[in-house]
Amino acid sequence: MKHLSHFSFWMLGILICQVSFAQQSYDPLALFNPFFYTHNGNVYRSADGSPGPQYWQNRADYEIHATLSEKDTTIRGEVTIRYRNNSPDSLGFLWLQLDQNLFSPDSRGAATTPVGGDRFDVKGFKRGGYHIHQVSITYHGKKQTVQPIISDTRMQIRLDQPIRPKGDSITIQVNYDFAIPEYGADRMGRLYTRNGVVYEIAQWYPRMEVYDDVMGWNTLPYMGLGEFYCEYGNFDYYITAPADMIVVGSGDLMNPEQVLTRTEIDRLQKARQSDSTIMIIREDEVGKPDTRPVHTGTLTWHFRMLNTRDVSWAASRAFIWDAARVNLPSGRKAIAMSAYPVESAGRDAYGRSTEYLKHSIEIYSKAYFEYPWNSAVSVAGVALGMEYPGIIFCRHDLHNGQLWDDITHEIGHNWFPMIVGSNERRYMWQDEGFNTFINEYSTRMFNHGEYYNANERLALYMAREMQREQDPLMTPPEAMSLNEYGLYYSKTALALDILRNWVLGPDRFDYAFRTYIQRWAFKHPQPEDFFRTMENAGGEDLGWFWKEWFYTTWTLDQAVDTVVYVNNNPAQGCYITISNLQQMALPVLIQIQESNGQSHFLQLPVEIWQRGGKWTFFYPTTSQVRSVVLDPDDQFPDVNRSNNQWPR
């Protein structure tokens, strides 16, 4: 249906002529008051939503050496972190994340998991958690061993000499090991297949907490649902694994000649030139000796990834491996790959995984921001769906549309939060919801809409969910009801749909949304940075919108009250009265059918509700009105659609 501008209303002769006030639950002053923002912009974060002239963020560069031991299913590693303090503050102590401690039997996450379990099922196991063997620091050339203070999933290093502000750096070295959980809170773990174990390895090294201009050190513990907030830097990492395994990981493989056969190297080169999927290791080659350059002992795989906030990897003897070229808008080429066991093979399953991955990256790169890295890989394993820079873990038993949905969602996270580095542990909607929103458009565009259902209406689903909603989207993940955290995804996506289609319009929204991504790529945006960018680049005061969608559990109920003809003569036009009965307010979409067969679609702006919950407007009919219907195409989450039409 056509979206009419405000100017078009006047061209149609629509005259807004009367407001009447009625006692109802809607309070316009609660929605449209001028006090949405509680502080002004500053030198770090400007009032228009952009990074300020003195914006800063710290940096962490990593070198990691880790060994996978199948005998006791452990990872043994050493991480060296070069941490640069770009802040204006002296730092007398450092905080690191120890995410594997979630799996210790006495972790906070285990203690707060419901007795019946949940999706993440964090209950710990006897061998769970990090064993930290030694921590040392090197500051201005002086190396010393330190005794860290470990509290659940955090580790503090107290310094004798503070790190100076504005560019001073320190090197931290940690020796550690941990046992790999079989089910790692739906983010990592072990999948047992007929040809061997698929190891999906994540949260596998101690890493820096973020120190920012908003909270200082961000030390919320890792408890399962709340995800991650990480500094950017360069990663060099080395994975030593049994020689008969294939290892895939974030970033570029730096030593293919040492870990791959000549045939595999040649096939990868062919895949880099092909838009169709090329097999690197075929199903009938899995486990065969000629797929490995050596057959005993171990091999060390060296990967490098630049300007990223994390890295992850997977290893198995069971992998089928395939790949194809990714074509990026600048003309640069990347490679998409998939690694999966024979149980996941087939045209209706992971046989199309690389195709899904390739096209998702190309769609998002063209629409929002070019994929900045050179490779991406999809791994079939135990995790339902989990994202890391350049690598995603998807459940091994998905097929067709389910697999497409999982892959396009998880690789979409490489834009939110891997490129636009929001704080997932505090604001889950800022990555999950944004990603769900862009997934709608990738699904519409992929293969002429192969998996797109034009008849689906997210608003109808959300109307039911919002009536039961208890916690607003600004609730931190660990405080959100386990029955409601799906709203981070769907409610946010619907909010952005409505903002794009019915408040700003596609052109203004798309420009503002891309501006937000470009401004905050590889930085740390807060919710207000998004809100302010959308308002300034989109040219609209949206405090009312952010309030009702993100800070409250308000619901929407629009209604048609009456249709009254001028002088009781339809040929002279009519007055139509509508109401806003609940506290949420939105523009009004109206379909008017006349008895002479004419049909008219109107959009009234949200500002009609600024003075009260009833609105009467004149419409120039020429015959009797057969029906008036609000939101005829089910775009809004109206909780009572029975009063959306006249006559009832």
Side-chain angles (χ1 to χ4, degrees), residues 48 504 507-509 511-513 515-516 519 531-540:
D48 71 347
L504 290 179
D507 180 76
R508 285 198 294 160
F509 177 93
Y511 175 76
F513 195 57
T515 298
Y516 167 70
R519 282 177 170 179
F531 298 153
R532 291 173 181 268
T533 294
M534 295 303 292
E535 292 188 16
N536 281 266
E540 202 75 42

Side-chain angles (χ1 to χ4, degrees), residues 95-96 98 108 149-155 209 219-221:
W95 282 101
L96 282 74
L98 299 183
R108 293 191 191 185
I149 291 82
I150 297 175
S151 174
D152 195 51
T153 59
R154 292 80 47 91
M155 179 170 76
E209 300 272 18
T219 57
L220 283 178

Side-chain angles (χ1 to χ4, degrees), residues 49 113 556:
T113 297
L556 177 74

Side-chain angles (χ1 to χ4, degrees), residues 462-469 491 549 554-555 584 637:
M462 283 309 307
R464 296 189 295 271
E465 294 302 305
M466 289 169 69
Q467 290 181 77
R468 297 191 287 264
E469 184 183 10
K491 184 178 178 182
W549 282 98
W554 292 343
T555 57
M584 176 179 273

Side-chain angles (χ1 to χ4, degrees), residues 476-547:
E478 304 304 344
M480 176 68 87
S481 166
L482 289 172
N483 296 321
E484 293 188 10
Y485 75 85
L487 296 179
Y488 289 130
Y489 300 71
S490 54
K491 184 178 178 182
T492 306
L494 179 61
L496 297 184
D497 282 334
I498 292 172
L499 184 62
R500 181 180 190 269
N501 296 325
W502 304 110
V503 179
L504 290 179
D507 180 76
R508 285 198 294 160
F509 177 93
D510 291 348
Y511 175 76
F513 195 57
R514 284 193 294 267
T515 298
Y516 167 70
I517 296 170
Q518 292 160 2
R519 282 177 170 179
W520 291 99
F522 310 107
K523 297 182 177 68
H524 297 313
Q526 298 294 310
E528 279 199 8
D529 299 316
F530 171 68
F531 298 153
R532 291 173 181 268
T533 294
M534 295 303 292
E535 292 188 16
N536 281 266
E540 202 75 42
D541 185 341
L542 296 169
W544 61 274
F545 188 87
W546 313 129
K547 186 184 304 181

